[in-house]
PDB file of all heavy atoms in Angstrom:
ATOM      1  N   PHE A  12      49.766  13.318 -60.681  1.00 98.00           N
ATOM      2  CA  PHE A  12      48.654  12.546 -61.246  1.00 98.00           C
ATOM      3  C   PHE A  12      49.007  11.958 -62.612  1.00 98.00           C
ATOM      4  O   PHE A  12      48.468  10.900 -62.995  1.00 98.00           O
ATOM      5  CB  PHE A  12      47.335  13.332 -61.269  1.00 98.00           C
ATOM      6  CG  PHE A  12      47.212  14.455 -62.266  1.00 98.00           C
ATOM      7  CD1 PHE A  12      46.989  14.222 -63.598  1.00 98.00           C
ATOM      8  CD2 PHE A  12      47.269  15.783 -61.813  1.00 98.00           C
ATOM      9  CE1 PHE A  12      46.838  15.256 -64.512  1.00 98.00           C
ATOM     10  CE2 PHE A  12      47.124  16.841 -62.722  1.00 98.00           C
ATOM     11  CZ  PHE A  12      46.904  16.587 -64.070  1.00 98.00           C
ATOM     12  N   CYS A  13      49.903  12.577 -63.342  1.00 98.00           N
ATOM     13  CA  CYS A  13      50.297  11.999 -64.623  1.00 98.00           C
ATOM     14  C   CYS A  13      51.293  10.843 -64.428  1.00 98.00           C
ATOM     15  O   CYS A  13      51.142   9.766 -65.019  1.00 98.00           O
ATOM     16  CB  CYS A  13      50.942  13.078 -65.505  1.00 98.00           C
ATOM     17  SG  CYS A  13      49.779  14.283 -66.193  1.00 98.00           S
ATOM     18  N   GLN A  14      52.315  11.068 -63.583  1.00 97.00           N
ATOM     19  CA  GLN A  14      53.349  10.046 -63.435  1.00 97.00           C
ATOM     20  C   GLN A  14      52.828   8.810 -62.738  1.00 97.00           C
ATOM     21  O   GLN A  14      53.158   7.689 -63.114  1.00 97.00           O
ATOM     22  CB  GLN A  14      54.540  10.634 -62.662  1.00 97.00           C
ATOM     23  CG  GLN A  14      55.808   9.785 -62.796  1.00 97.00           C
ATOM     24  CD  GLN A  14      56.271   9.697 -64.249  1.00 97.00           C
ATOM     25  OE1 GLN A  14      56.367  10.707 -64.943  1.00 97.00           O
ATOM     26  NE2 GLN A  14      56.540   8.486 -64.731  1.00 97.00           N
ATOM     27  N   SER A  15      51.967   9.001 -61.719  1.00 97.00           N
ATOM     28  CA  SER A  15      51.419   7.829 -61.018  1.00 97.00           C
ATOM     29  C   SER A  15      50.527   7.038 -61.965  1.00 97.00           C
ATOM     30  O   SER A  15      50.482   5.791 -61.873  1.00 97.00           O
ATOM     31  CB  SER A  15      50.629   8.282 -59.796  1.00 97.00           C
ATOM     32  OG  SER A  15      49.523   9.086 -60.144  1.00 97.00           O
ATOM     33  N   PHE A  16      49.825   7.715 -62.860  1.00 98.00           N
ATOM     34  CA  PHE A  16      49.002   7.023 -63.859  1.00 98.00           C
ATOM     35  C   PHE A  16      49.862   6.180 -64.801  1.00 98.00           C
ATOM     36  O   PHE A  16      49.580   5.003 -65.052  1.00 98.00           O
ATOM     37  CB  PHE A  16      48.170   8.027 -64.635  1.00 98.00           C
ATOM     38  CG  PHE A  16      47.274   7.419 -65.664  1.00 98.00           C
ATOM     39  CD1 PHE A  16      46.073   6.811 -65.298  1.00 98.00           C
ATOM     40  CD2 PHE A  16      47.603   7.418 -67.015  1.00 98.00           C
ATOM     41  CE1 PHE A  16      45.235   6.246 -66.260  1.00 98.00           C
ATOM     42  CE2 PHE A  16      46.774   6.856 -67.971  1.00 98.00           C
ATOM     43  CZ  PHE A  16      45.592   6.271 -67.584  1.00 98.00           C
ATOM     44  N   MET A  17      50.935   6.770 -65.301  1.00 97.00           N
ATOM     45  CA  MET A  17      51.790   6.060 -66.252  1.00 97.00           C
ATOM     46  C   MET A  17      52.572   4.925 -65.573  1.00 97.00           C
ATOM     47  O   MET A  17      52.751   3.859 -66.139  1.00 97.00           O
ATOM     48  CB  MET A  17      52.708   7.044 -66.953  1.00 97.00           C
ATOM     49  CG  MET A  17      51.973   7.987 -67.902  1.00 97.00           C
ATOM     50  SD  MET A  17      53.037   9.090 -68.862  1.00 97.00           S
ATOM     51  CE  MET A  17      53.486  10.311 -67.609  1.00 97.00           C
ATOM     52  N   ASP A  18      53.010   5.162 -64.338  1.00 97.00           N
ATOM     53  CA  ASP A  18      53.785   4.146 -63.644  1.00 97.00           C
ATOM     54  C   ASP A  18      52.955   2.922 -63.284  1.00 97.00           C
ATOM     55  O   ASP A  18      53.503   1.822 -63.118  1.00 97.00           O
ATOM     56  CB  ASP A  18      54.380   4.736 -62.357  1.00 97.00           C
ATOM     57  CG  ASP A  18      55.510   5.726 -62.620  1.00 97.00           C
ATOM     58  OD1 ASP A  18      56.003   5.750 -63.769  1.00 97.00           O
ATOM     59  OD2 ASP A  18      55.891   6.459 -61.701  1.00 97.00           O
ATOM     60  N   SER A  19      51.646   3.089 -63.154  1.00 96.00           N
ATOM     61  CA  SER A  19      50.787   1.970 -62.741  1.00 96.00           C
ATOM     62  C   SER A  19      50.173   1.221 -63.925  1.00 96.00           C
ATOM     63  O   SER A  19      49.297   0.353 -63.738  1.00 96.00           O
ATOM     64  CB  SER A  19      49.652   2.480 -61.841  1.00 96.00           C
ATOM     65  OG  SER A  19      48.881   3.487 -62.481  1.00 96.00           O
ATOM     66  N   HIS A  20      50.616   1.564 -65.131  1.00 97.00           N
ATOM     67  CA  HIS A  20      50.119   0.876 -66.328  1.00 97.00           C
ATOM     68  C   HIS A  20      50.492  -0.595 -66.301  1.00 97.00           C
ATOM     69  O   HIS A  20      51.616  -0.963 -65.971  1.00 97.00           O
ATOM     70  CB  HIS A  20      50.702   1.539 -67.582  1.00 97.00           C
ATOM     71  CG  HIS A  20      50.413   0.791 -68.853  1.00 97.00           C
ATOM     72  ND1 HIS A  20      49.150   0.698 -69.395  1.00 97.00           N
ATOM     73  CD2 HIS A  20      51.259   0.110 -69.692  1.00 97.00           C
ATOM     74  CE1 HIS A  20      49.206  -0.004 -70.500  1.00 97.00           C
ATOM     75  NE2 HIS A  20      50.456  -0.354 -70.718  1.00 97.00           N
ATOM     76  N   LEU A  21      49.509  -1.463 -66.584  1.00 95.00           N
ATOM     77  CA  LEU A  21      49.733  -2.910 -66.625  1.00 95.00           C
ATOM     78  C   LEU A  21      49.968  -3.361 -68.058  1.00 95.00           C
ATOM     79  O   LEU A  21      49.298  -2.878 -68.990  1.00 95.00           O
ATOM     80  CB  LEU A  21      48.506  -3.634 -66.059  1.00 95.00           C
ATOM     81  CG  LEU A  21      48.128  -3.326 -64.593  1.00 95.00           C
ATOM     82  CD1 LEU A  21      46.835  -4.029 -64.236  1.00 95.00           C
ATOM     83  CD2 LEU A  21      49.251  -3.748 -63.654  1.00 95.00           C
ATOM     84  N   LYS A  22      50.856  -4.311 -68.203  1.00 94.00           N
ATOM     85  CA  LYS A  22      51.145  -4.858 -69.537  1.00 94.00           C
ATOM     86  C   LYS A  22      50.548  -6.242 -69.658  1.00 94.00           C
ATOM     87  O   LYS A  22      50.938  -7.147 -68.914  1.00 94.00           O
ATOM     88  CB  LYS A  22      52.661  -4.890 -69.783  1.00 94.00           C
ATOM     89  CG  LYS A  22      53.315  -3.509 -69.832  1.00 94.00           C
ATOM     90  CD  LYS A  22      54.791  -3.605 -70.150  1.00 94.00           C
ATOM     91  CE  LYS A  22      55.416  -2.205 -70.234  1.00 94.00           C
ATOM     92  NZ  LYS A  22      56.874  -2.252 -70.534  1.00 94.00           N
ATOM     93  N   TYR A  23      49.599  -6.394 -70.556  1.00 94.00           N
ATOM     94  CA  TYR A  23      49.026  -7.709 -70.816  1.00 94.00           C
ATOM     95  C   TYR A  23      48.343  -7.666 -72.190  1.00 94.00           C
ATOM     96  O   TYR A  23      47.998  -6.580 -72.690  1.00 94.00           O
ATOM     97  CB  TYR A  23      47.997  -8.114 -69.731  1.00 94.00           C
ATOM     98  CG  TYR A  23      46.782  -7.208 -69.659  1.00 94.00           C
ATOM     99  CD1 TYR A  23      45.651  -7.450 -70.459  1.00 94.00           C
ATOM    100  CD2 TYR A  23      46.749  -6.147 -68.790  1.00 94.00           C
ATOM    101  CE1 TYR A  23      44.531  -6.601 -70.383  1.00 94.00           C
ATOM    102  CE2 TYR A  23      45.639  -5.302 -68.711  1.00 94.00           C
ATOM    103  CZ  TYR A  23      44.532  -5.558 -69.491  1.00 94.00           C
ATOM    104  OH  TYR A  23      43.430  -4.736 -69.428  1.00 94.00           O
ATOM    105  N   GLU A  24      48.177  -8.830 -72.779  1.00 95.00           N
ATOM    106  CA  GLU A  24      47.492  -8.943 -74.053  1.00 95.00           C
ATOM    107  C   GLU A  24      46.271  -9.851 -73.861  1.00 95.00           C
ATOM    108  O   GLU A  24      46.403 -10.937 -73.272  1.00 95.00           O
ATOM    109  CB  GLU A  24      48.397  -9.501 -75.122  1.00 95.00           C
ATOM    110  CG  GLU A  24      49.524  -8.577 -75.541  1.00 95.00           C
ATOM    111  CD  GLU A  24      49.007  -7.258 -76.074  1.00 95.00           C
ATOM    112  OE1 GLU A  24      47.972  -7.259 -76.770  1.00 95.00           O
ATOM    113  OE2 GLU A  24      49.643  -6.211 -75.802  1.00 95.00           O
ATOM    114  N   PRO A  25      45.092  -9.454 -74.322  1.00 96.00           N
ATOM    115  CA  PRO A  25      43.857 -10.214 -74.077  1.00 96.00           C
ATOM    116  C   PRO A  25      43.945 -11.681 -74.465  1.00 96.00           C
ATOM    117  O   PRO A  25      43.473 -12.551 -73.743  1.00 96.00           O
ATOM    118  CB  PRO A  25      42.823  -9.474 -74.927  1.00 96.00           C
ATOM    119  CG  PRO A  25      43.347  -8.058 -74.973  1.00 96.00           C
ATOM    120  CD  PRO A  25      44.825  -8.187 -75.039  1.00 96.00           C
TER     121      PRO A  25
END
Side-chain angles (χ1 to χ4, degrees):
F12 72 77
C13 288
Q14 197 61 49
S15 62
F16 180 78
M17 291 185 284
D18 289 346
S19 58
H20 172 68
L21 299 174
K22 294 183 179 180
Y23 64 87
E24 291 301 323

